[in-house]
């Protein structure tokens, strides 16, 4: 989901720990066939909070009350657990969305940008929630505005509603197909009419979407399987790339509205975005991340006394690295689980404490040891430098970084908040230069082939037909980002 006029990049380094991590922009969830479906959606969105923490929304439909919606800034737990909010969302059908603003602050987002979006059509109302990013949204928006469409938000997702409004098809489902055939990029969508729950994935299947069953006649759609677990739903299967499912009266109709294409699921979902208790492609995310650590230990061994994760995303890979290398695993860094954003007036002195407010070094464990720090990625490198300083201040003899993904050298245009290329450390420095800039004894990234092997591709990456979208590592974009190219973005030259 994107703001206009361009994909927004953070203009400055966020001094806090999470500011140096890539962010998934959205999570989506829908339920049909249960009493008070909105309550189930709220639970599902709570489980997907890691995918979007700035704002959330729910639309529900009741045969008597019609469509009702609620959109709020903040966490799901602070808004959609309140009785006065949920009582206004009755009915057996509901969808929801959690949002991460790429602008980095609530002040940069209007409540009108918060999904799901709703439209009233001649055949009835419909709501839609979108995870992903449309790479031709600027061109579509110009065309639609010239033809009289009036946009209410700055989101690319609203283009879909306007395209639906201009379709001549007779049903909402067919209008959704019409609209999505016009868009480019990445989309997983959960939509609803008065009686139907609808799920769609783009032909490449870049962003995730799964199907779950609740009892005999109730169904759920979710970005991840962990959200099905929280409502007690059985994971049935993934929605296939290029598939559309329409669920009504307990029955599912599946169609393939798009031209066939080889799937290119986002590889970074395996590395960082998805929760470790989710299942992707029939494989545990936790086990994939543990295997990444195993591959990393084989590719980049080093003599050391202790393997420590950078919590929490580096933990499974650190466990795998320790297992394969035989070097003891230890919690050398402790994360303060109750620390949100800085709670003191953010003076320069307090801003400089940002990482320490979230992470603290276990000095008794670290002192005098050669330490391997395992993290999921290096984006701008600012946090890596601060963590290194903390480890050395605690008395470590050596610090070695091992990174559970290849160098992030290219921006993502498919639904991930990525700094512009000039702000990505790997785009401007070699691995040795990054090592010296961060100031560690050694720095090694897993290879792209090693990451593919950990994700289940025993032969590694096939450069002629890669299974995943790995553009942030390789610069190989499966869909040309036409809006960004128009703005001057330079694609990687063909090899």
């Amino acid at each position: 989901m994107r703001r206009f006029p361009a994909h927004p990049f953070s203009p400055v380094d966020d001094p806090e720990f999470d500011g140096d991590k890539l962010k998934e922009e959205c999570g989506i969830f829908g339920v049909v066939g249960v009493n008070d479906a909105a309550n189930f959606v709220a639970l599902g969105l709570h489980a997907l909070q890691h995918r979007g923490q700035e704002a959330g929304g729910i639309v529900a439909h009741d045969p008597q009350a019609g469509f009702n919606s609620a959109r709020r800034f903040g966490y799901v737990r602070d808004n959609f657990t309140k009785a006065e909010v949920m009582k206004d969302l009755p009915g057996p059908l509901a969808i929801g969305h959690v949002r991460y603003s790429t602008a980095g602050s609530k002040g940069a987002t209007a409540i009108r940008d918060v999904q799901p979006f709703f439209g009233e059509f001649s055949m009835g109302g419909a709501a839609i929630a979108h995870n992903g990013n449309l790479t031709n949204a600027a061109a579509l928006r110009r065309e639609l505005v010239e033809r009289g469409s009036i946009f209410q938000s700055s989101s690319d997702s609203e283009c879909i509603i306007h395209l639906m409004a201009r379709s001549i098809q007779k049903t909402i489902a067919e209008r959704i197909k019409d609209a999505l055939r016009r868009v480019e990029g990445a989309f997983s969508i959960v939509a609803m009419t008065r009686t139907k729950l609808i799920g769609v994935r783009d032909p490449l299947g870049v962003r995730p979407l799964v199907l779950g069953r609740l009892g005999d006649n109730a169904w759920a759609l979710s970005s991840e399987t962990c959200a099905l677990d929280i409502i007690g739903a059985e994971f049935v299967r993934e929605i296939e790339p290029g598939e559309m499912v329409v669920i009504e009266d307990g029955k599912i109709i599946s169609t393939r509205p798009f031209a066939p294409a080889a799937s290119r699921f986002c590889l970074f979902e395996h590395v960082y975005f998805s929760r470790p208790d989710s299942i992707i492609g029939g494989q545990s995310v936790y086990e994939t991340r543990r295997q990444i650590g195993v591959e990393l230990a084989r590719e980049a061994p080093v003599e050391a006394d202790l393997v420590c994760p950078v919590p929490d995303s580096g933990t499974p890979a650190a466990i795998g690295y320790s297992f394969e290398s035989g070097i003891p695993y230890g919690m050398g860094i402790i994360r303060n689980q109750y620390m949100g954003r800085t709670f003191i007036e953010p003076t320069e002195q307090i801003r400089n404490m940002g990482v320490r407010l979230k992470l603290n070094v276990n000095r008794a464990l670290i002192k005098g040891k050669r330490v391997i720090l395992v993290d999921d990625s290096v984006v701008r490198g600012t946090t890596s430098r601060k963590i290194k300083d903390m480890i050395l201040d605690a008395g470590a003899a050596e610090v070695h970084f091992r990174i559970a993904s290849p160098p992030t050298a290219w921006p993502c245009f498919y639904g991930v908040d990525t700094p512009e290329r000039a702000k990505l450390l790997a785009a401007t420095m070699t691995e040795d230069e990054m090592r010296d800039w961060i100031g560690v004894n050694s720095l090694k990234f897993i290879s792209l082939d090693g990451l593919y092997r950990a994700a289940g591709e025993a032969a590694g990456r096939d450069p002629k037909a890669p299974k995943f979208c790995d553009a942030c590592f390789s610069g190989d974009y499966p869909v040309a980002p036409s809006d960004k190219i128009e703005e001057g973005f330079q694609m990687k030259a063909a090899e």
Side-chain angles (χ1 to χ4, degrees), residues 49-96:
Q49 190 79 83
H50 59 289
R51 301 184 74 90
Q53 299 175 28
E54 186 190 56
I58 297 177
V59 174
H61 182 268
D62 179 75
Q64 283 74 47
F67 286 96
N68 287 282
S69 67
R71 292 184 283 180
R72 301 286 189 275
F73 289 120
Y75 292 129
V76 173
R77 70 181 183 218
D78 295 331
N79 292 301
F80 296 104
T81 55
K82 297 178 180 178
E84 63 268 26
V85 175
M86 302 311 293
K87 71 178 176 59
D88 291 331
L89 297 170
L93 175 55
I95 65 171

Side-chain angles (χ1 to χ4, degrees), residues 144 149-152 158-167:
L144 289 163
S149 293
I150 300 173
F151 280 75
Q152 301 298 315
E158 192 182 349
C159 288
I160 300 170
I161 289 285
H162 288 284
L163 289 170
M164 290 170 60
R166 292 190 170 275
S167 171

Side-chain angles (χ1 to χ4, degrees), residues 3-22:
R3 293 168 54 82
F4 283 88
H7 191 93
F9 301 119
S10 178
V12 296
D13 289 334
D14 186 328
E16 295 194 51
F17 172 67
D18 288 334
D20 203 20
K21 297 290 183 182
L22 298 183

Side-chain angles (χ1 to χ4, degrees), residues 49 52-56 72-75 98-102 104-109 114:
Q49 190 79 83
Q53 299 175 28
E54 186 190 56
R72 301 286 189 275
F73 289 120
Y75 292 129
V98 285
R99 180 182 195 275
Y100 173 77
S101 169
T102 54
S105 68
K106 181 171 70 177
T109 302
V114 180

Side-chain angles (χ1 to χ4, degrees), residues 136-149 151 163 166 182:
N136 66 333
L140 286 174
R141 190 181 181 100
R142 286 196 301 269
E143 174 191 326
L144 289 163
V145 169
E146 288 170 0
R147 294 185 178 184
S149 293
F151 280 75
L163 289 170
R166 292 190 170 275
R182 290 286 317 279

